[in-house]
Amino acid sequence: MLDTLNEVLKQRRHAAAEDSYVASLHHKGLNKILEKIGEEATETVLAAKDAEHGGEAERQALISETADLWFHSMVMLSHLGMDHQAVLDELARRVGISGHEEKASRQP
């Protein structure tokens, strides 16, 4: 699915801003894309809080908000000429490594 989404993002990046939401984000620039990521991250956090003690509707809202967050993160990567595969590769690299060890390895 991520590969398919990546292809759609590539196709829509250079479309007319009035015809494509993705193109409009690219046209507005990185700061607008980052603003959307921040907005979606906040909405995801709030949805998770609701889902903790909520029912199916709240759990579905969390899925929807997480999808929005992932989508906008992929738009950001696309805007910067990067690919989601690098993120997947990094996650694969971390498999089997303690989270504490991995975090410590990133510190200067």
Side-chain angles (χ1 to χ4, degrees):
M1 182 64 229
L2 293 179
D3 289 336
T4 301
L5 178 56
N6 192 55
E7 286 305 312
V8 170
L9 293 177
K10 283 181 185 178
Q11 293 169 5
R12 294 186 182 167
R13 180 176 182 166
H14 300 292
E18 58 273 3
D19 295 334
S20 166
Y21 176 68
V22 170
S24 72
L25 286 173
H26 285 292
H27 179 74
K28 292 173 185 173
L30 182 61
N31 283 343
K32 182 61 177 178
I33 296 167
L34 297 176
E35 180 182 307
K36 287 300 297 179
I37 291 172
E39 175 186 317
E40 298 302 342
T42 299
E43 291 172 359
T44 301
V45 167
L46 295 173
K49 295 293 282 179
D50 291 343
E52 182 177 26
H53 300 291
E56 188 56 34
E58 290 78 13
R59 295 177 74 76
Q60 185 55 50
L62 175 57
I63 296 299
S64 294
E65 294 301 342
T66 302
D68 290 346
L69 179 58
W70 288 13
F71 172 83
H72 287 90
S73 295
M74 287 190 64
V75 171
M76 173 194 64
L77 291 171
S78 172
H79 190 80
L80 295 171
M82 300 173 73
D83 191 278
H84 68 283
Q85 189 58 52
V87 177
L88 296 176
D89 292 346
E90 177 61 16
L91 289 171
R93 183 191 70 78
R94 294 179 185 187
V95 170
I97 299 174
S98 157
H100 295 297
E101 289 176 34
E102 194 285 324
K103 186 173 182 181
S105 74
R106 290 186 274 148
Q107 296 188 12

